[in-house]
Amino acid sequence: MSQRPVTTDPSGEPVPGPRILLGPGPSTADPRVLSAMAAPLLGQFDPEFTAIMNEVMALCRFAFQTRNERAFPVSGTGRAGLEAAIVSLVEPGDRVVVGECGRFGLLLIEIAERCGAEVVPVKAEWGRVIEPEAIEAALQGGRTRLVALVHGETSTGVLQPLEDIARLCRRHEALLLADAVVTLGGSEVAVDRWQVDVAVAGTQKCLSCPSGLAPLTYNERAERVLAARTTRIRSNYLDLAQLARYWSPARFNHHTAPTAMVYGLRAALRALEAEGLERRFARHRLHGDALRAGLDALRLTLFGKEPPAHRLPMLTPVVVPDGIDEMRVRSTLLQDFGVEIGAAFGPLQGRIWRIGTMGYSATRRNVLLCLAALDTVLRQQGWRVAPGAGVDAALAHYASVGADELSA
Ligand SMILES: Cc1ncc(COP(=O)(O)O)c(C=O)c1O
C-alpha cells in the first residue's frame, strides 16, 4: 500500500488516520472519551481521583446490570480481565469446563490451562452456540470449579445464551464466567438476572474507548471462592483479591493506576448512561440489521447457521465470495475510503470478513459508507451486482422501521 503524506496538528505533531473503524474492535473512539483522557493527571490517591473511581464502579454496575459490590476495571485489555478472573478463581488441579466454538473460547482454554486447571473443553462447530445439554454432560463428569463461556464470540459472530447454563452451574455448584468483551454496552449483559457469577468486558468495542482497561464484576459466590483459596494466587499484577482492595475504601496500594484511561472509561460509561441501555441496544440492532440488508442486496452471504437471536448485532461475519481477493478488498477499503473492516482467525482466515458496527461506529452514515465502498471495491474485482444496491437496501431498511430518531 502506498504511504500517504503524514499530517500534523497545528503544533507540528504527527496525527494518524483518520479512519472509520468498522472491524471487530477497536471501534472509532467517542470524542467525549478522547477529550476526557486529555484532562490533567491526578495522583491515584488524590481524593478527586478516588471520587472518580467510585463513580466508575457505580457506572460499571449500571453497565453490567448488577448490584455486585465488586465492579471495577482491571488495568490491561480484555484478555487481562479474563486472566485476572481465571488465575484468581482457579487453583491448580481445579476442573474448568470451557465452551469452545471460536477463537475466544480457545483463549479461555489456554488461560485456564496455564493456571494449572484440568480443562474440559465443550466444543461446537465454529458459527454455532454451545448447547446447555453439552455443558450439563460435562458438569456431570466431575466436581467443577468454573464454567467459562464467551458471550459474544467475535471470531464467528455468535451470541451465546447464558441463562440456562447459569442455572445448570448453580445446580452443580460451579461458577459461571462470561466473556462479555464485545457485548458490554452493545447488547444486554444482565449479570444479576441471568445469574452470571463473573463477567469481563473490554473498553475498545461497544464502549468506544481506547483499549487498555477490562471492566469486570463478580458476585459473592465468586468472592467466597476467592476467600477459600488454599494456594496463593499465581499472579501479582492480576490478583483480583488485591485489586478489589485497591478498588475499595481501603485503597490498598497496588500498581500505578492508568488514571487517564479511567477518565476515558468514565466518559464512555457516562455516554452509555446518557443514551440508556435499551436505546443503546436498539441502536446496535438497527445499524447491524441495516448493514445486513445491504450486504444481502450486494449478494453476499453471512457466515454462520444460527438464527438471528443467536447472532451478534454489533459484528457481522461475511463470507468472502469465490474469486474475490479477501486481502485486497480490505486494503482498498482502507486506502481509498479510510474504512477498516476485519479479517478472520484460524479455520476462518481468508474465508470471512468481520464488519463491526460498535458503539460510536454504529451510525447510519458509517453503514451507508461501508456498503457504498464495498459495492465499488467488489465490482472492481468483477463481482456482478447492480451499483448502489447495498445502499438502497439499507436505506429501505431504515425507512421501513422509521429509524430517523436512532440513526444519527
Ligand atoms: C470476545 C473477545 N474476548 C476477548 C478478547 C480479547 O480482548 P483484548 O484484545 O482486549 O485483550 C476479544 C478481542 O477481540 C474478544 O473479541
Side-chain angles (χ1 to χ4, degrees):
M1 194 193 290
S2 66
Q3 210 59 47
R4 285 179 187 281
V6 175
T7 12
T8 53
D9 73 9
S11 66
E13 284 299 313
V15 181
R19 295 281 188 267
I20 293 169
L21 299 179
L22 298 177
S27 60
T28 301
D30 187 324
R32 289 168 290 187
V33 169
L34 294 179
S35 69
M37 291 178 70
L41 291 187
L42 292 167
Q44 63 180 345
F45 296 110
D46 185 315
E48 217 177 304
F49 185 68
T50 54
I52 293 174
M53 289 170 71
N54 292 344
E55 189 183 346
V56 166
M57 285 190 280
L59 288 164
C60 284
R61 285 184 201 105
F62 166 76
F64 282 113
Q65 300 182 55
T66 184
R67 297 166 72 98
N68 289 343
E69 187 186 348
R70 304 302 184 196
F72 56 84
V74 168
S75 301
T77 64
R79 183 183 294 238
L82 294 167
E83 195 155 333
I86 297 173
V87 77
S88 301
L89 292 167
V90 172
E91 296 190 61
D94 279 349
R95 195 166 185 272
V96 175
V97 170
V98 184
E100 190 261 290
C101 52
R103 158 82 186 90
F104 294 104
L106 288 172
L107 174 64
L108 293 174
I109 290 178
E110 191 195 324
I111 296 173
E113 279 176 352
R114 286 185 183 222
C115 296
E118 177 202 335
V119 176
V120 181
V122 174
K123 295 176 193 268
E125 190 186 329
W126 284 36
R128 288 290 199 190
V129 296
I130 306 286
E131 296 297 342
E133 296 73 27
I135 296 289
E136 182 156 41
L139 285 169
Q140 279 161 353
R143 191 171 174 75
T144 302
R145 164 71 66 216
L146 181 77
V147 173
L149 287 176
V150 181
H151 182 223
E153 185 44 271
T154 323
S155 65
T156 62
V158 162
L159 180 64
Q160 171 71 47
L162 296 173
E163 252 178 310
D164 290 347
I165 293 177
R167 269 192 289 276
L168 293 171
C169 290
R170 297 263 157 148
R171 204 177 304 148
H172 289 265
E173 294 177 7
L175 296 175
L176 174 62
L177 176 149
D179 169 346
V181 169
V182 76
T183 44
L184 191 80
S187 69
E188 186 138 56
V189 181
V191 163
D192 287 0
R193 186 153 47 79
W194 295 346
Q195 299 197 313
V196 173
D197 299 298
V198 189
V200 179
T203 45
Q204 74 272 26
K205 307 222 184 215
C206 295
L207 295 178
S208 286
C209 190
S211 63
L213 288 177
L216 56 67
T217 186
Y218 55 93
N219 62 15
E220 284 175 7
R221 294 179 85 223
E223 290 224 42
R224 282 198 290 276
V225 169
L226 266 179
R229 277 190 69 114
T230 56
T231 59
R232 208 155 184 223
I233 292 173
R234 284 186 173 188
S235 170
N236 170 289
Y237 194 71
L238 298 175
D239 179 333
L240 269 191
Q242 290 193 350
L243 290 170
R245 281 167 59 212
Y246 170 57
W247 284 87
S248 81
R251 307 289 173 209
F252 175 77
N253 192 6
H254 195 256
H255 63 293
T256 312
T259 49
M261 273 303 301
V262 176
Y263 303 161
L265 176 60
R266 175 172 72 156
L269 292 169
R270 282 166 61 98
L272 174 62
E273 187 182 48
E275 186 171 0
L277 292 177
E278 286 312 320
R279 275 178 70 85
R280 174 67 71 98
F281 304 156
R283 178 160 64 81
H284 281 87
R285 280 194 302 274
L286 171 69
H287 297 298
D289 286 346
L291 174 70
R292 290 181 279 275
L295 293 169
D296 187 52
L298 291 177
R299 298 198 307 108
L300 295 169
T301 309
L302 303 188
F303 170 77
K305 297 177 189 149
E306 291 292 345
H310 295 170
R311 289 171 186 253
L312 291 175
M314 71 290 281
L315 190 281
T316 302
V318 188
V319 176
V320 178
D322 286 341
I324 297 292
D325 181 335
E326 184 278 314
M327 212 186 294
R328 192 146 66 88
V329 167
R330 280 186 295 116
S331 61
T332 313
L333 286 176
L334 195 64
Q335 173 90 355
D336 289 348
F337 297 89
V339 169
E340 178 179 280
I341 66 167
F345 298 110
L348 298 178
Q349 194 171 17
R351 289 181 47 210
I352 67 168
W353 294 297
R354 295 179 301 148
I355 306 181
T357 38
M358 299 178 187
Y360 195 76
S361 287
T363 65
R364 174 186 180 119
R365 201 173 297 168
N366 284 349
V367 167
L368 299 179
L369 171 63
C370 179
L371 289 166
L374 253 181
D375 172 341
T376 303
V377 174
L378 287 170
R379 282 187 295 105
Q380 283 168 356
Q381 290 198 30
W383 187 242
R384 291 165 67 91
V385 67
V391 168
D392 286 352
L395 287 172
H397 178 79
Y398 286 122
S400 74
V401 295
D404 292 346
E405 227 187 307
L406 281 166
S407 56

